[in-house]
Structures are given as C-alpha cells and as structure tokens.
Amino acid sequence: METLVVDHPLVAHKLTTLRDVGTDSPTFRRLTDELVTLLAYEATRDVRVTDVTIRTPLVETTGTQLTRPTPLVVPILRAGLGMLDGMTRLLPTAEVGFLGMARDEDTLQPATYADRLPQDLSGRQCYVLDPMLATGGTLAAALRLLVERGADHITAICLLAAPEGLTAVEHRLAEELDPDHGATLRVVTAAVDERLNEQGFILPGLGDAGDRLYGCA
C-alpha cells in the first residue's frame, strides 16, 4: 500500500487552522472542504481517462475525458460526509456510495451499520473519504469490502493519519485479502502525525473530526 503525504504550503496552512481548538464548526467545515479539494487534486492523478476527438470553434482536436464507468466516491459516515462536497467539486460526474462504520470506543473495532454500495465493483476506481486514519480498523474494513466486490484501484483520502494506523491497515489487509487480489491501494493525506494516545486518538491531531464538523464537540 502506497502512502502519499501532500507537501504543499496551502495544505499545511489549512491543516494548522483545522488543528486549532479555537476554530469554530463553520470555519472547520469550510477549511475541510477546501483541504479535501487540494488532496483530491493529488489523489486523482491516476484517474482513468481516454482520448476523445472534439471540435473547437476553429479546428478539430484531440482531448481527454474520464472513462466509464466513472469513479465511485465512498464517504464513510458520518465524518466522511464533511469531505464529500470538496471531492465531488473536482469529480462532479462521479457516482457516490455510502458506507456507515462506527468504531467501538472500548474494543476500537469497526462495525458496519449502513452499506449503500453496488454489489459488483469489478474494474472500478474508488475514492474513500475518511478524515482520520487512527487505529486503522475502519479503513481496513472498508478497503477489504471494496476489494472483495471487485474494485481494482482504491485511494483513501484522509486529513490526518497515524503511523500505527497505516501499519495496521497494511497488516490487516495482508492477512485478510487474497494475496493475488491485484488491486492498487493508496492513502493520500495532509500529514502523518506522531502517534496514537491510549484512547486511540491521533496526536497532536485535531480532535474528533465528526464532532468538530457538526458542532457536537
């Protein structure tokens, strides 16, 4: 699994404001939206395209358009919804599926409570939206589900990641997936932070992204 940390001053600037405990929910939502669009720009460098012939007002020329089926964007509920507008702004023709997963705060293991995805994802490119890659359980479960349904190129976009979470995702997928699955798996993030604390939160982090997005902190 490849990890790409987007090194850009605008990304660092917006992430710094997101981290600030004094940032209110409306500002947090706006900055998340802007930051996701910047991350998505890098995450979609490998989006599948094909050549097309068009006519400009002057001549006929060759251009590029997305192949079909178009990519599938998968926000993980609930916090992933706060990333959806920023992603679809860049990919307005993408289809959107939803995956509801919640982490048990005692066991830190994910449980799926909603699945609104196609059963057959053969040959599809997918973009998973999950703000915080902390313990890695939720993302590993989501990636496994998409691979098992046939997706062959999956990119997870996260605002922040913890090194323990990245390692856990790699180990779990290596254990649980057929080694010949053939899917390309990537994580694109604004930063890999220092570590997790005893409660499974990223440090220095930015707190609970869902609470800060929706005013429940």
Side-chain angles (χ1 to χ4, degrees):
M1 184 178 74
E2 176 191 359
T3 300
L4 171 63
V5 179
V6 178
D7 182 15
H8 191 285
L10 287 179
V11 169
H13 167 73
K14 294 178 189 300
L15 179 58
T16 298
T17 307
L18 285 178
R19 291 186 190 275
D20 192 332
V21 69
T23 299
D24 60 22
S25 288
T27 304
F28 194 94
R29 285 193 294 270
R30 176 177 58 80
L31 288 172
T32 296
D33 183 77
E34 294 172 359
L35 182 53
V36 170
T37 299
L38 292 173
L39 296 178
Y41 181 79
E42 295 296 333
T44 55
R45 283 190 179 275
D46 294 331
V47 70
R48 291 169 184 158
V49 295
T50 187
D51 291 337
V52 293
T53 300
I54 62 167
R55 172 166 286 280
T56 76
L58 301 175
V59 295
E60 190 173 87
T61 188
T62 300
T64 299
Q65 69 178 16
L66 297 181
T67 59
R68 299 194 69 84
T70 55
L72 179 69
V73 176
V74 184
I76 297 180
L77 306 177
R78 68 178 166 141
L81 284 177
M83 304 171 69
L84 183 57
D85 285 349
M87 186 69 191
T88 54
R89 181 175 298 109
L90 207 63
L91 280 176
T93 60
E95 295 181 11
V96 179
F98 298 92
L99 192 57
M101 307 188 82
R103 185 177 73 168
D104 186 297
E105 295 304 328
D106 293 324
T107 65
L108 303 184
Q109 297 303 308
T112 302
Y113 63 85
D115 176 353
R116 298 294 183 269
L117 300 173
Q119 290 298 314
D120 184 4
L121 293 172
S122 299
R124 294 292 294 271
Q125 278 188 298
C126 298
Y127 295 91
V128 178
L129 308 180
D130 194 14
M132 312 296 283
L133 201 179
T135 62
T138 298
L139 185 60
L143 295 180
R144 183 185 66 215
L145 184 151
L146 294 172
V147 171
E148 289 174 346
R149 293 192 185 181
D152 63 358
H153 191 285
I154 307 168
T155 299
I157 300 176
C158 306
L159 302 181
L160 285 180
E164 298 95 328
L166 290 167
T167 299
V169 171
E170 289 196 82
H171 286 174
R172 285 192 58 174
L173 293 180
E175 292 173 355
E176 298 173 3
L177 287 178
D178 183 332
D180 297 322
H181 62 77
T184 298
L185 304 175
R186 297 191 307 154
V187 172
V188 175
T189 184
V192 177
D193 272 8
E194 296 173 10
R195 62 183 178 88
L196 296 178
N197 67 10
E198 292 76 10
Q199 289 74 43
F201 285 95
I202 300 173
L203 295 179
L206 50 76
D208 186 301
D211 286 349
R212 296 195 68 188
L213 279 164
Y214 300 116
C216 298

